[in-house]
Amino acid sequence: MVLVIETWVISDDIPAPVSSEVVRETLRLRIGSGRFETWLISSSGRSLAFVTNTERAMVMLLEEEGDPGEHAVEPGSDGSSDGFVLSNGQHDEYPDQDTVPIGEAFRLVEHIVGTGSWPADAHWVVDR
């Protein structure tokens, strides 16, 4: 049996594979340059979205284009946060329960890029 490893690239960047070992630093560099929305595309056609306001992040995993997907949540969080700036200039606000603290978001993205799935201890919901 041959194990096929899924590779990920950043959709609006040089199409070089991004590994789980460098994805956190890559996201930090993008945030530092004012790019708060990042889409990673896998070799199997899946998409991983990361949108942040630098304190919290929305992390979504989609199986294909048009898929409502799945997203990370923080159960029990109250309130909402704004300052999520999309690449088209749109400013969004999300309930805190539908986003996670930035450190957790980095961990989730690293794990998904490295293994193709959510960590066993992650909280996420299916939006399909």
Side-chain angles (χ1 to χ4, degrees), residues 24 27 50 52 56-59 72 100-110:
R24 179 186 299 248
L27 291 172
F50 174 92
T52 186
R56 299 187 68 81
M58 166 76 72
V59 179
V100 294
I102 189 112
E104 173 68 355
F106 288 144
R107 183 183 80 88
L108 296 174
V109 170
E110 280 177 345

Side-chain angles (χ1 to χ4, degrees), residues 18-25 110 113-114:
V18 176
S19 70
S20 60
E21 293 81 16
V22 301
V23 72
R24 179 186 299 248
E25 186 59 26
E110 280 177 345
V113 168

Side-chain angles (χ1 to χ4, degrees), residues 40-94:
L40 294 104
I41 309 299
S42 83
S43 55
S44 67
R46 299 191 307 153
S47 300
L48 178 58
F50 174 92
V51 181
T52 186
N53 66 357
T54 72
E55 293 178 11
R56 299 187 68 81
M58 166 76 72
V59 179
M60 299 179 298
L61 181 61
L62 295 76
E63 290 299 319
E64 58 193 26
E65 192 171 328
D67 176 27
E70 310 161 351
H71 74 276
V73 295
E74 186 176 39
S77 291
D78 291 327
S80 62
S81 297
D82 60 5
F84 294 89
V85 181
L86 305 182
S87 57
N88 66 2
Q90 179 178 319
H91 290 246
D92 282 351
E93 179 175 332
Y94 301 118

